[in-house]
């Protein structure tokens, strides 16, 4: 099992991995969760998949086991910035604007994680290992990008599994139900984690 961080600059070095990641996102979010999201040629994408973002794929060869997208809170593409901030500003109909307990930051030290998933094909006995690999790569990548904090709109059960991984995060907003899924914004302090 490998974890690879993809960017617009390096995706050509990883064959079909980026395509496979976007196809796995379609399976997870559009097919399984029944979310109304953009798709093309079997891939899910949105306005936040820009050169400013990074994508983490946990994979065995080209088979995607899990994924996550990282976007700087300083990102700007047309009228969009990053998902949590745009939702708070009332720009995303599917996400309530009261998702965060404070004003969404615009700070080079803070990055957003989004589109977090573990493939339904990962057996239950391997899920914790896959989640750990995903989060360790998230921390390594975010630190390499000089981030000190990561905000993410994640499944509301995050507190159950993040402690098992030795990570520290705190709620940053209320638990909400979006498209039938219970979610919450969590904030992870990268300085609190020691290898």
């Amino acid at each position: 099992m490998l974890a690879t961080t993809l960017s617009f600059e390096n995706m050509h070095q990883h064959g079909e991995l980026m395509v496979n990641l976007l196809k796995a996102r379609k399976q997870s979010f559009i097919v399984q969760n029944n979310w109304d999201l953009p798709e093309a040629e079997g891939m899910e994408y949105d306005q936040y998949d820009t050169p400013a973002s990074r994508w983490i794929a946990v994979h065995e060869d080209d088979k995607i086991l899990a994924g996550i997208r990282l976007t700087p809170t300083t990102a700007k593409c047309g009228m969009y910035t990053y998902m949590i901030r745009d939702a708070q500003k009332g720009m995303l109909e599917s996400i309530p604007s009261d998702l965060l307990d404070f004003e969404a930051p615009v700070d080079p030290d803070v990055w957003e994680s989004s589109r977090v998933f573990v493939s339904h094909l990962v057996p239950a006995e391997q899920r914790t290992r896959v989640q750990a690999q995903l989060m360790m790569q998230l921390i390594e990548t975010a630190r390499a990008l000089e981030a000190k904090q990561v905000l993410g709109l994640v499944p509301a059960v995050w507190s159950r599994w993040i402690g098992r991984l030795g990570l520290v995060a705190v709620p940053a907003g209320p638990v909400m139900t979006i498209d039938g899924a219970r979610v919450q914004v969590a904030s992870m302090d990268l300085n609190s984690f020691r290898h």
Side-chain angles (χ1 to χ4, degrees), residues 5 54 56 70 108-109 111 136-150 190-191 195:
T5 299
R54 303 296 185 271
I56 296 169
L70 281 172
D109 291 342
W111 283 60
M136 294 307 109
Q137 188 72 16
L138 165 72
I139 291 166
E140 182 179 314
T141 300
R143 283 181 169 170
L145 296 165
E146 299 184 5
K148 294 178 176 54
Q149 180 184 8
V150 174
L190 297 178
N191 295 324
H195 274 345

Side-chain angles (χ1 to χ4, degrees), residues 37-49:
L37 299 171
E39 65 175 294
E41 299 183 16
M43 297 176 279
E44 181 272 319
Y45 68 95
D46 67 16
Q47 64 269 35
Y48 306 109
D49 290 306

Side-chain angles (χ1 to χ4, degrees), residues 48 52-54 69-73 75 81-82 110-114:
Y48 306 109
S53 291
R54 303 296 185 271
R69 177 179 59 205
L70 281 172
T71 303
T73 61
T81 60
Y82 64 98
V110 183
W111 283 60
E112 175 193 61
S113 68
S114 57

Side-chain angles (χ1 to χ4, degrees), residues 157-179:
V157 296
W158 65 269
S159 61
R160 196 178 324 150
W161 57 265
I162 207 156
R164 286 193 307 243
L165 300 176
L167 305 174
V168 176
V170 295
V175 174
M176 302 173 295
T177 301
I178 299 175
D179 289 332

